[in-house]
Amino acid sequence: HFDVPLAKRVAGASPFRFASTTRDGQSQVQIESSLQGVALDLPPPFSKAAGEAWPLRIERTVAAAGGAAQRFDITLAKVLGARVQVRSEGGRLVVDRAGIGVGDVGVALPDRPGVFVSASVAALDLDRFLALQGESTASAPTFQIAALSLRTAELTVGGKVFHDVQARATHAPPARWQVAVNAREVSGDVSYSSDGKGAVVAKLKHLVHPESSAAAADSTGRQTLDSLPAIELSADSYVFNGRSLGRLEVRAVNERRDWRVEKLALVSADCTFGAKGLWQPPAGATAARTSFAFDIEAADVGKCLTRLGYPETVSGGTARLDGEAEWSGPVYALHFPTLAGKLTLDAQKGTPV
């Protein structure tokens, strides 16, 4: 469930027209305004300067018999359309069902409970919207999103940027989301459960390591997570820094306060990489600690080095590299000043180029 923060981010005043009618057992209230003079301090596409005119129309309909259910029809310029049915529960308003359209999409009141959102926008920074949850108020209506359909040229989520995104997400109560996504960087199915510390299961056709958002890059080294969700991920094709590294598999679990990587594997025709590790998050005065054991086996050293971005260094040859590494800090941020470990290399036959 989400509360709806708004009042803190609205400033200014604008003339409006108010009309109220009662007919055939229904009362109806209409409010219209250009919103010129009102500024909205919200992430795009809802950011608005005071001088802009965004025609707003709100129509509220209440049945005379009991009046418990209310319907709202809302349009805001070409930015938002909504059909919402609410009810009073425990002294506050609860959204029973709603259809919400953001951008150039149609909207209708759904025939079953829940909030159904469809968005088609140029860009969407989901991280900024999620940050607004901390600004919610106790009197705001609550709602449960049942499904979300998204089309956008640029999506920012989890500090990463994805392009040409088409996604469909559905909520399976009480705590699971199912997502089908097709984007330049990722294609496949993802599920997320918020039980405990969370769990992510992803079966992907391709995964191109996404670039970090500007906000995430600026905060590097200043934010430390104290937990990560369990992960079970497979990608038929994984690309990092423009290099195709083969098939990727990751399996990690939470063990009490630790996060254990049971399997990290990259497999290609030329070489394979395997690793297991443990991340111990910070606890009190004890700093975070990460340790890994890994091995790299090259069936053709020259081709393996070319795949990794070092072409024309060695021709042919076989090799195996075993190693251990540990550092102070989180698993997702290698800390070179405290990095320690050992390496064992066995190479045969290859010819330097």
Side-chain angles (χ1 to χ4, degrees):
H1 289 75
F2 294 84
D3 288 332
V4 182
L6 186 61
K8 292 181 180 179
R9 294 184 170 268
V10 179
S14 181
F16 66 91
R17 186 178 70 85
F18 176 89
S20 177
T21 60
T22 301
R23 178 180 295 178
D24 298 330
Q26 290 191 134
S27 64
Q28 192 173 80
V29 172
Q30 295 178 354
I31 300 174
E32 294 181 341
S33 174
S34 70
L35 291 189
Q36 196 160 14
V38 174
L40 301 179
D41 180 20
L42 292 167
F46 300 108
S47 58
K48 176 186 177 302
E52 294 180 282
W54 281 19
L56 170 68
R57 177 184 172 89
I58 302 174
E59 188 174 287
R60 172 178 173 262
T61 303
V62 181
Q70 306 177 41
R71 173 170 167 167
F72 290 85
D73 295 286
I74 304 168
T75 57
L76 176 61
K78 296 181 179 180
V79 177
L80 175 71
R83 306 289 181 264
V84 185
Q85 182 173 297
V86 302
R87 68 180 189 279
S88 179
E89 184 179 283
R92 65 182 304 176
L93 291 179
V94 176
V95 177
D96 179 56
R97 63 193 67 198
I100 300 175
V102 181
D104 186 19
V105 295
V107 63
L109 187 69
D111 58 3
R112 59 187 187 276
V115 175
F116 297 78
V117 181
S118 181
S120 179
V121 294
L124 180 66
D125 190 335
L126 190 57
D127 288 345
R128 291 183 62 187
F129 280 99
L130 292 175
L132 297 181
Q133 293 185 66
E135 301 180 13
S136 60
T137 60
S139 60
T142 62
F143 60 90
Q144 175 67 67
I145 294 180
L148 170 65
S149 176
L150 173 66
R151 182 189 294 267
T152 181
E154 183 177 292
L155 172 66
T156 301
V157 60
K160 301 296 182 181
V161 182
F162 300 84
H163 299 89
D164 302 329
V165 177
Q166 297 182 54
R168 170 77 177 177
T170 56
H171 181 249
R176 182 176 295 275
W177 281 92
Q178 301 282 351
V179 183
V181 60
N182 185 24
R184 190 188 309 171
E185 291 82 2
V186 60
S187 176
D189 298 312
V190 181
S191 70
Y192 171 74
S193 172
S194 59
D195 289 335
K197 294 182 179 179
V200 176
V201 177
K203 296 182 178 181
L204 308 177
K205 296 177 182 178
H206 74 262
L207 175 61
V208 179
H209 199 87
E211 62 188 37
S212 296
S213 65
D218 289 343
S219 66
T220 299
R222 298 199 298 267
Q223 294 182 343
T224 301
L225 301 177
D226 57 12
S227 68
L228 287 171
I231 295 175
E232 185 171 343
L233 178 149
S234 64
D236 294 337
S237 172
Y238 176 61
V239 177
F240 183 80
N241 282 348
R243 303 183 183 100
S244 178
L245 300 183
R247 176 178 171 82
L248 171 66
E249 292 185 44
V250 181
R251 185 171 66 247
V253 297
N254 281 293
E255 295 179 346
R256 297 184 180 178
R257 60 175 295 268
D258 298 336
W259 192 73
R260 181 176 297 279
V261 179
E262 295 183 332
K263 181 179 183 180
L264 171 58
L266 278 166
V267 180
S268 70
D270 313 312
C271 48
T272 62
F273 170 84
K276 296 181 179 180
L278 181 69
W279 173 44
Q280 298 172 301
T286 304
R289 192 75 181 168
T290 299
S291 60
F292 269 94
F294 61 89
D295 62 81
I296 303 174
E297 190 162 355
D300 187 311
V301 174
K303 291 181 179 179
C304 183
L305 290 173
T306 297
R307 184 181 292 273
L308 296 175
Y310 301 96
E312 299 180 357
T313 53
V314 175
S315 176
T318 61
R320 179 180 176 90
L321 175 68
D322 294 279
E324 296 177 2
E326 62 178 35
W327 63 90
S328 295
V331 65
Y332 50 84
L334 189 63
H335 187 242
F336 286 101
T338 60
L339 179 63
K342 63 180 181 179
L343 297 174
T344 302
L345 175 63
D346 179 14
Q348 299 180 20
K349 296 183 179 180
T351 304
V353 175

